[in-house]
Amino acid sequence: MCGVIGIYSNKEVGKKLFYGLNSLQHRGQESAGLCVFDGEKMRLEKSMGLVYDIFSEEVLNKLSGTIGIGHVRYSTAGGSFEYNTQPLIGFTRGKEICLAHNGNLINHQILKTRLEEDGMMFQTTIDSEVILFLISRYYKDNIIEAIKKTMGIIQGAYSIVMMFEGKLIAFRDPNGFRPLVLGVGEDGECIVASENAPLEIIGVSEKRDVEPGEIIVIDKNGIKSEFYESDNERHHCIFEYVYFARDDATLDDINSYNFRRRCGEILSREAPVEADLIISVPDSGTPGAIGYAQETGIPFAEGLVKNRYMGRTFIKPTNEEREISVKMKLNPLGTVLKGKKIVVVDDSIVRGTTSANLIKRMKEAGAKEVHMRIVSPPVEYPCYYGIDTPSRKNLIAANYSIEEIREKIGADSLAFISMEGMIEASLKEKEIFCKACFNGDYPVDPILI
């Protein structure tokens, strides 16, 4: 679940890219990169680590240019290595091309094998390089046609920002799995990003979603929009609203905070429990806990103190790192929990690592009972479109019943929202969502992997 940003302006964009990319840090914390175009050449800086750690004032001063793109990475395909950092730069017909990708291709291994058989040598192990190479191969003086031909071959999830010949280009897969938002400022400055927060921080007068299958080209002549396909079936990832997106993200006309809060309200009716306090697993569990508390009248309290300098534990690449990160990130507040019956509201249970750790420590801190309530259904199937759950053996709900999960995590009771309840909270029709991680119904057949 990477984050991407692109800016086209008549002013320097280096620091704006930095601020915008930092607001997308929640989407990936393994590496970050920025690339700018100064009218003659591209300047690239990228490294492992967080945005604030990589881009010092000195580094940003080197990134001089009026067009730029950025990327924060959470690894799925390819692993967490320095050589897999983005953006990626390549050359086609003597011209520089730079690309940043959010998503995951389901057929990249097949494509990569075929390209290697043709003599291609790759510099990374990520699917994004396949996209870069295909666009370069198909480019014959018309970059949009090259992108369309590439879109006809690649399958899966991709929201992409790209620089080429003084243009900022953005395009989104026909299913619209991953979000992408376009904003235009009063001075004509254009910003494309994975979520709306960078647009609002930097400042725009109007914004809209990049549509599924849409290709946007921004240059000195303005904004041009074309479609790979004119009538696309939408399959927006519903897990974006459950967990990944910021609370202030409004993506494809759904606000994450309101969705999560409504899920909490609905779950409180589906799975009520007698308790003294409602607490959340911050931050993505908080709106659901607020909704649960408001609907039931049970007081909401802070029972877990969060270390604000820690990253997101689910997107740590190894289980050992996740377990240590949970302890560092969240600490039970004994003065609140002691002797109380507690309802803990969280956004999801994927591997079960976080829940078991927290419940054990809350009881050690004096909680009388701990009832777990989850504002999404059980995650039973792997995601092939950008979430790092490659095998069902890693998913606790794929291997155990709800009662068995309750025993394993040590909760006094456990309940998940129903699929119908979650869809109701979206205020949308269920057909527009990808829900494959919950029900195994894959919009694009993963057998191609």
Side-chain angles (χ1 to χ4, degrees):
M1 300 295 297
C2 304
V4 298
I5 185 172
I7 302 178
Y8 185 97
S9 181
N10 56 11
K11 301 174 185 177
E12 292 285 332
V13 298
K15 289 189 176 180
K16 289 184 177 181
L17 284 166
F18 167 76
Y19 295 131
L21 196 62
N22 189 65
S23 70
L24 296 173
Q25 186 75 83
H26 61 287
R27 298 187 67 87
Q29 294 148 29
E30 292 172 36
S31 66
L34 293 175
C35 185
V36 298
F37 179 64
D38 64 4
E40 294 184 0
K41 62 181 180 180
M42 295 183 185
R43 303 175 187 274
L44 174 66
E45 291 284 346
K46 58 182 181 177
S47 182
M48 303 296 287
L50 302 178
V51 175
Y52 261 105
D53 295 331
I54 297 167
F55 298 103
S56 63
E57 189 78 19
E58 182 181 359
V59 171
L60 287 173
N61 287 337
K62 295 178 184 177
L63 295 173
S64 176
T66 57
I67 310 172
I69 65 174
H71 186 269
V72 287
R73 185 162 190 260
Y74 148 57
S75 64
T76 49
S80 181
F81 303 102
E82 183 93 32
Y83 51 73
N84 286 335
T85 56
Q86 296 189 45
L88 302 176
I89 286 184
F91 294 86
T92 179
R93 298 177 181 265
K95 300 171 182 177
E96 284 182 305
I97 181 171
C98 186
L99 175 148
H101 167 216
N102 172 29
N104 200 56
L105 303 185
I106 64 167
N107 63 338
H108 73 277
Q109 290 291 0
I110 293 173
L111 293 173
K112 190 172 184 180
T113 299
R114 290 173 182 171
L115 291 169
E116 287 173 335
E117 289 172 351
D118 289 342
M120 172 67 180
M121 183 179 73
F122 288 88
Q123 303 297 314
T124 76
T125 58
I126 55 176
D127 53 348
S128 311
E129 191 176 9
V130 173
I131 302 171
L132 180 66
F133 180 79
L134 289 172
I135 293 172
S136 300
R137 167 179 275 190
Y138 292 125
Y139 174 70
K140 294 184 176 70
D141 300 322
N142 188 324
I143 193 64
I144 294 178
E145 288 306 310
I147 292 170
K148 286 182 178 180
K149 285 184 178 180
T150 299
M151 292 174 74
I153 295 173
I154 59 178
Q155 298 190 41
Y158 52 90
S159 288
I160 290 174
V161 292
M162 190 174 92
M163 289 191 295
F164 182 71
E165 282 204 304
K167 298 176 174 63
L168 175 64
I169 302 168
F171 56 100
R172 190 178 181 193
D173 69 76
N175 289 281
F177 285 114
R178 300 285 153 239
L180 200 60
V181 184
L182 167 68
V184 181
E186 293 181 357
D187 59 355
E189 184 174 77
C190 297
I191 307 167
V192 183
S194 294
E195 298 182 20
N196 48 280
L199 282 61
E200 293 161 4
I201 290 167
I202 295 169
V204 297
S205 54
E206 55 183 273
K207 59 180 180 288
R208 69 171 178 86
D209 295 289
V210 177
E211 296 297 320
E214 186 176 13
I215 305 167
I216 292 173
V217 179
I218 305 167
D219 60 17
K220 61 183 179 181
N221 298 315
I223 301 174
K224 179 181 180 181
S225 170
E226 291 195 22
F227 282 85
Y228 169 69
E229 293 177 351
S230 58
D231 187 19
N232 303 306
E233 276 195 36
R234 296 166 183 263
H235 293 105
H236 306 312
C237 171
I238 201 164
F239 207 71
E240 285 276 355
Y241 308 106
V242 170
Y243 175 77
F244 278 103
R246 283 173 42 146
D247 282 347
D248 57 355
T250 299
L251 308 171
D252 297 299
D253 200 33
I254 301 171
N255 176 261
S256 296
Y257 176 85
N258 288 332
F259 169 82
R260 293 166 182 168
R261 179 182 51 77
R262 285 192 293 266
C263 281
E265 293 173 357
I266 292 166
L267 180 57
S268 75
R269 298 193 291 269
E270 292 184 345
V273 60
E274 289 186 12
D276 300 309
L277 293 174
I278 309 294
I279 71 168
S280 73
V281 179
D283 285 312
S284 48
T286 301
I290 291 171
Y292 198 105
Q294 289 175 338
E295 185 72 8
T296 61
I298 301 171
F300 173 80
E302 183 178 9
L304 293 168
V305 177
K306 182 178 180 180
N307 177 353
R308 299 291 171 183
Y309 298 94
M310 280 294 297
R312 303 182 84 165
T313 55
F314 170 69
I315 58 178
K316 295 294 183 184
T318 69
N319 192 59
E320 182 180 10
E321 284 183 283
R322 281 187 290 272
E323 289 184 0
I324 294 172
S325 293
V326 169
K327 292 180 181 179
M328 293 175 63
K329 179 182 177 181
L330 297 168
N331 198 42
L333 190 54
T335 55
V336 172
L337 302 176
K338 191 172 183 180
K340 299 291 197 305
K341 296 179 182 179
I342 306 295
V343 176
V344 182
V345 180
D346 203 357
D347 55 83
S348 60
I349 295 179
V350 179
R351 297 172 176 89
T353 306
T354 299
S355 302
N357 188 312
L358 288 178
I359 291 170
K360 178 184 176 183
R361 294 168 65 216
M362 282 189 282
K363 289 194 172 182
E364 289 173 348
K368 185 177 180 180
E369 295 177 8
V370 178
H371 302 270
M372 202 81 185
R373 293 296 180 267
I374 308 299
V375 289
S376 64
V379 177
E380 297 188 44
Y381 298 88
C383 174
Y384 298 104
Y385 313 127
I387 301 175
D388 189 20
T389 53
S391 171
R392 294 194 78 189
K393 68 181 181 182
N394 295 323
L395 303 175
I396 193 169
N399 298 284
Y400 301 99
S401 68
I402 292 178
E403 175 59 21
E404 288 171 331
I405 296 171
R406 183 198 68 76
E407 290 180 3
K408 281 187 168 293
I409 65 175
D412 291 279
S413 72
L414 170 65
F416 296 80
I417 195 172
S418 66
M419 179 72 78
E420 295 74 20
M422 181 177 66
I423 298 301
E424 179 186 342
S426 75
L427 306 181
K428 299 289 183 181
E429 297 297 322
K430 66 180 179 181
E431 287 76 14
I432 73 165
F433 296 111
C434 174
K435 307 175 290 296
C437 58
F438 301 120
N439 63 10
D441 183 10
Y442 294 100
V444 180
D445 195 345
I447 198 171
L448 290 169
I449 293 178

